Amino acid sequence: MTVRFGILGCSSVARRRSIPALVAHPGATLTAVASRDPEKAKAFAAEFGCDATGYDELLARDDVDAVYLPLPTALHVPWGLKVLAAGKHLLLEKPSATSADGARQLVRAATERDLVLRENFTFPHHAQHATVARLLAEGRLGQLRSFSGAFCFPPLPATDIRYDAGLGGGSLLDAGVYPIRAAQLLLGDDLTVAGSSLRVDGRTGVDVAGHALLVSAAGVLADVKFGFEHTYGASYTLWGSAARLTVDKAFTPVATWQPVLRIEEQDHSEELVLPAGDQWSAAIASFTAAVTAGHGAGHPAEAAGLRSMVRTMELVEDVIRTAKRVAA
């Protein structure tokens, strides 16, 4: 079976990362791309060899099995619900929504129709994180004491939608969800927010940086840092009673990057060089495999992923609720 995709929205990440991975996958084909700007849709269609159309027209097509939706975050729920109502599987760019209730609405709609719903976090599909989880489970670090993760990058152009509060802008939703999801991946979903602080831009009203402290049910402390007023950094560190492990370029490594896991002990340090991996291609392959296998939202593996998706948004809301706001 070949999964026939439609693209709802002509974003930069779609053009640079997700669509090239999709068209290169042997089990997927790109049928059509839709945009509110007909000229942009035509340009995308010409580049990737598919049809250009409008949003509603794309959802009505019989030759579209699944939709990849990279619209601004505030549009994920209304258009995601329309995609699912049309009987299409949905690969939704992260984060899933601007609220936990929005994420729950999407999960209910996918469950009612037994469709595949995935949030397009690609980094968990990179094998380096499975290696980290294995080392942790094997006791290589001893008893885990803390997790520290960060995703930050330089300021964006003033017209970037991530400075638009009405479209779901802000560094927490754009960058902070990465270390939060990494903490969930390695510590479990049973995290609670102990405190947080957000730097809010007085002109745009969006948070441009933040820091939060979370705690797992086992008492492991997790601090996450995020923002787009920094030099670039994307990493996390696990600190245990026996060793400390650091992962650099943890969230958006290019496909040719060879990860290096650094392990430091009291009197010893080592570096594990791992194979390169294309997490965007792996994410497309995993989604396509779920659709082909008929694994709808009720399948155990899919249901677990959807619970984590909702939990991410619950944690985001708790970070906002507990935040001390500082003027930027």
Side-chain angles (χ1 to χ4, degrees), residues 249-269:
K249 290 183 170 57
F251 304 124
T252 57
V254 296
T256 55
W257 167 256
Q258 279 195 273
V260 178
L261 306 185
R262 295 177 178 84
I263 301 176
E264 301 169 85
E265 298 175 325
Q266 189 71 24
D267 56 359
H268 171 78
S269 64

Side-chain angles (χ1 to χ4, degrees), residues 13-104:
V13 69
R15 181 179 179 276
R16 291 181 294 107
R17 302 296 190 190
S18 298
I19 298 180
L22 191 158
V23 298
H25 183 61
T29 186
L30 181 56
T31 299
V33 61
S35 173
R36 292 191 184 280
D37 181 347
E39 294 306 313
K40 181 178 284 189
K42 290 177 182 177
F44 268 57
E47 182 174 358
F48 295 108
C50 64
D51 293 342
T53 186
Y55 288 5
D56 291 314
E57 290 79 10
L58 185 145
L59 298 185
R61 293 181 68 129
D62 293 330
D63 56 354
V64 171
D65 306 306
V67 171
Y68 167 57
L69 197 160
L71 293 172
T73 303
L75 301 179
H76 286 184
V77 172
W79 279 104
L81 292 175
K82 289 183 179 182
V83 170
L84 295 167
K88 317 294 186 186
H89 302 283
L90 176 59
L91 180 60
L92 185 62
E93 197 50 61
K94 61 80 205 165
S96 60
T98 58
S99 68
D101 182 65
R104 293 187 196 103

